[in-house]
Amino acid sequence: SGTSTSGSVVDIATGVLANAGISDGKKVNNNLPQILSLGAEYKVLPELAVMVDGNIYFLSKADMNGTEDYIGTGWEAGFGAKYQVMPVLTVGVGYMYTVQSAKDKYFNSEATFLNAAGNPPLDSHTFGLGATYTVIENLDLTLAGAWTHYLPEEYSFEHSKIGAVSGEYKKDVYNIGIGVGYKI
């Protein structure tokens, strides 16, 4: 027929971006925020260490092309522990609470709906655990896993073309990590 599916996808994407004020060749200012991070580790026993950390994200102070109007100051706090079970095996566990600081108007706005639907900035609890095994001197293998539970957020707004839109953002993410470390 002479028409291409990829051409229609490009046309749709171009239209969506144009509605958001983004067009080919247009420059926008979107800076990263300042971040304050602190952390500490304390060896309770020769084989047991505990640690804490905290981060503050000054999102509302960054120039992010208007997005900063929808976001406050975010933060996260975490703690963990690692224990050397035997000379070749160390296990660890951790927890982190994150406040994304998205304001209600971020979730309830037609202007931010596409961004929020793709990756909603939800507050979360993250739990992780892992183990590192020394195969031979200077060669370590690590296996770790984490579960992040994002706290649900309801949304509702009037869309200019389709009318009332409402629902709930929610998600859970599971991560598995495998690492190899070699010291020279």
Side-chain angles (χ1 to χ4, degrees):
S1 69
T3 60
S4 162
T5 304
S6 65
S8 6
V9 170
V10 170
D11 292 342
I12 292 168
T14 302
V16 168
L17 292 172
N19 282 342
I22 300 170
S23 61
D24 189 20
K26 181 179 179 182
K27 293 183 180 183
V28 295
N29 192 17
N30 195 356
N31 296 317
L32 295 174
Q34 298 169 344
I35 301 171
L36 174 64
S37 297
L38 298 169
E41 180 175 319
Y42 179 72
K43 220 164 196 180
V44 179
L45 300 169
E47 53 283 321
L48 176 65
V50 294
M51 58 278 303
V52 297
D53 79 316
N55 302 294
I56 300 173
Y57 301 93
F58 299 97
L59 296 163
S60 60
K61 304 297 181 201
D63 184 358
M64 298 186 297
N65 200 33
T67 304
E68 67 275 8
D69 296 338
Y70 296 94
I71 309 274
T73 298
W75 61 272
E76 58 193 8
F79 63 89
K82 64 181 179 178
Y83 184 76
Q84 189 172 11
V85 178
M86 53 183 144
V88 295
L89 180 64
T90 302
V91 296
V93 63
Y95 167 78
M96 182 172 59
Y97 180 69
T98 303
V99 173
Q100 295 281 356
S101 75
K103 298 176 183 174
D104 284 344
K105 70 180 184 175
Y106 182 86
F107 296 110
N108 298 306
S109 170
E110 178 181 353
T112 56
F113 179 68
L114 286 177
N115 287 338
N119 189 22
L122 303 171
D123 298 347
S124 63
H125 298 278
T126 301
F127 303 89
L129 60 100
T132 298
Y133 180 76
T134 302
V135 179
I136 59 173
E137 187 177 348
N138 298 330
L139 178 62
D140 295 334
L141 294 177
T142 300
L143 177 62
W147 168 53
T148 302
H149 171 68
Y150 291 88
L151 303 176
E153 183 74 40
E154 292 185 3
Y155 63 89
S156 177
F157 63 92
E158 279 297 315
H159 189 277
S160 61
K161 295 184 180 170
I162 60 174
V165 177
S166 64
E168 181 179 59
Y169 297 118
K170 60 183 178 178
K171 64 181 177 176
D172 287 284
V173 175
Y174 301 90
N175 294 297
I176 295 175
I178 300 171
V180 177
Y182 183 75
K183 300 174 195 163
I184 298 177

